[in-house]
Amino acid sequence: MNDPEKTRKAVSDSYAAAVARPSDGCCGGAQKGGCCGAEQKGASARMGGYAEEQLAALPADAVVNSFGCGNPVAFSEIGEGETVLDLGCGAGIDLLLAAKKVGPSGKVIGVDMTDEMLAKARQNLRTAGAGNTELRAGIIERLPVATESVDWVISNCVINLSPEKQRVFSEIARVLKPGGRMLVSDIVAEELPEEVRTDPGLYAACIAGAVSEREYLLGLQTAGMDGVEVRERLVYDAAQLEELFGAEGQGGCCGSSADSCGCGDGRAAKTGVLAKRLEGKIWSARVFARKPL
């Protein structure tokens, strides 16, 4: 995964495949809950900390196609009339929640590189009647957003997928207004073995590309952000990691192939061993930062 363009294409293809079969595979790569069948649609969003009343007010398609690892809007201080940018907006679940917070005088911009995701988001925004939202095609390493034009940057388990994370952190600092804030949910990891780092399926599953928490925070500081801190952590245990890796063989995870996730032909047993080795070394973090005045 050394070529950034090839990495981005592989990730985009994985998510395009995932959104095409939301009831057949896992509910997104970075969930503590792992795979789900048709009877558990929306489990990913619930695992990520979204309240039932929030989900009930959203289009069902936005909930089913949520592939995040947290709820970056829930504990933000987004206010009425503000402009919010969602990096890797996917099918639009966080766009819709943010749109409610900013109200008709505010604006929410969603950026995604996957056409299939943007199509889903467009449909869901139309269903919800969210007129204060806008979708833009692009990559998070080169945002199609004006400098110092947004009050908030949010993102849900997307930055870990970038092969050029420092560029992403610099872009966040660029587009935020002075005093603007960032609150993202993302996966971080410590001491991942080479067999994980080089697995394309586990990259798309939000694991192989994850950096350490220290490196993540340092990247934001290097980009010029201050007040950088982790406000919440959800550390995955072995059972959660086994489901995360797709060990039960229920159709792959996060759009990746079942084989890449360790499913089938004895791979499930191997993945179970790997999950035990990595217990306590992978977690979802809610990261906050502010652009200096």
Side-chain angles (χ1 to χ4, degrees):
M1 309 294 286
N2 293 325
D3 185 317
E5 291 304 323
K6 288 183 178 179
T7 299
R8 277 189 282 269
K9 185 178 187 310
V11 170
S12 182
D13 289 347
S14 292
Y15 279 86
V19 81
R21 48 177 171 76
S23 65
D24 294 329
C26 293
C27 307
Q31 302 306 319
K32 74 172 185 174
C35 298
C36 65
E39 73 283 357
Q40 293 176 297
K41 288 182 181 182
S44 294
R46 294 178 179 88
M47 292 293 182
Y50 295 87
E52 289 292 340
E53 57 268 25
Q54 286 182 313
L55 301 181
L58 298 175
D61 188 76
V63 177
V64 171
N65 288 293
S66 172
F67 299 122
C69 58
N71 182 349
V73 179
F75 298 99
S76 68
E77 298 163 6
I78 294 171
E80 191 168 344
E82 292 188 312
T83 298
V84 178
L85 171 63
D86 185 3
L87 306 186
C89 63
I93 186 170
D94 295 316
L95 287 175
L96 290 167
L97 294 175
K100 291 179 183 294
K101 284 204 165 194
V102 302
S105 61
K107 182 178 183 180
V108 182
I109 303 166
V111 172
D112 206 286
M113 66 178 178
T114 303
D115 291 339
E116 290 82 356
M117 281 294 187
L118 288 170
K120 285 284 186 183
R122 198 169 292 112
Q123 172 188 323
N124 291 325
L125 297 179
R126 187 164 51 246
T127 299
N132 57 348
T133 57
E134 180 183 342
L135 296 174
R136 300 179 187 177
I139 61 174
I140 60 175
E141 297 88 352
R142 190 171 59 250
L143 289 166
V145 179
T147 298
E148 296 188 353
S149 62
V150 304
D151 299 289
W152 280 93
V153 169
I154 61 173
S155 186
N156 197 342
C157 204
V158 171
I159 297 174
N160 77 85
L161 293 167
S162 171
E164 300 174 293
K165 294 175 180 61
Q166 193 57 53
R167 287 183 63 189
V168 180
F169 297 143
S170 295
E171 280 291 88
I172 291 172
R174 178 183 68 80
V175 301
L176 280 171
K177 299 175 183 178
R181 291 162 285 180
M182 177 203 88
L183 189 65
V184 306
S185 294
D186 213 348
I187 295 293
V188 294
E190 301 280 354
E191 303 173 8
L192 292 181
E194 190 66 15
E195 64 191 284
V196 172
R197 289 284 183 202
T198 57
D199 189 315
L202 291 178
Y203 196 103
C206 308
I207 300 298
V211 298
S212 70
E213 184 178 291
R214 179 180 178 279
E215 186 176 349
Y216 204 104
L217 302 186
L218 181 61
L220 287 165
Q221 292 166 347
T222 300
M225 302 289 282
D226 67 11
V228 180
E229 64 178 351
V230 174
R231 292 191 166 179
E232 187 178 8
R233 297 175 182 86
L234 174 61
V235 181
Y236 298 126
D237 62 25
Q240 292 162 348
L241 287 173
E242 191 167 356
E243 293 181 349
L244 183 88
F245 292 165
E248 293 180 5
Q250 296 185 36
C253 49
C254 209
S256 58
S257 68
D259 285 346
S260 293
C261 287
C263 307
D265 295 331
R267 290 181 182 243
K270 178 182 177 182
T271 306
V273 172
L274 183 61
K276 289 183 174 63
R277 284 174 56 196
L278 297 179
E279 185 170 34
K281 295 183 178 181
I282 300 172
W283 59 94
S284 171
R286 184 175 284 118
V287 183
F288 173 86
R290 181 185 292 106
K291 182 171 180 175
L293 288 169

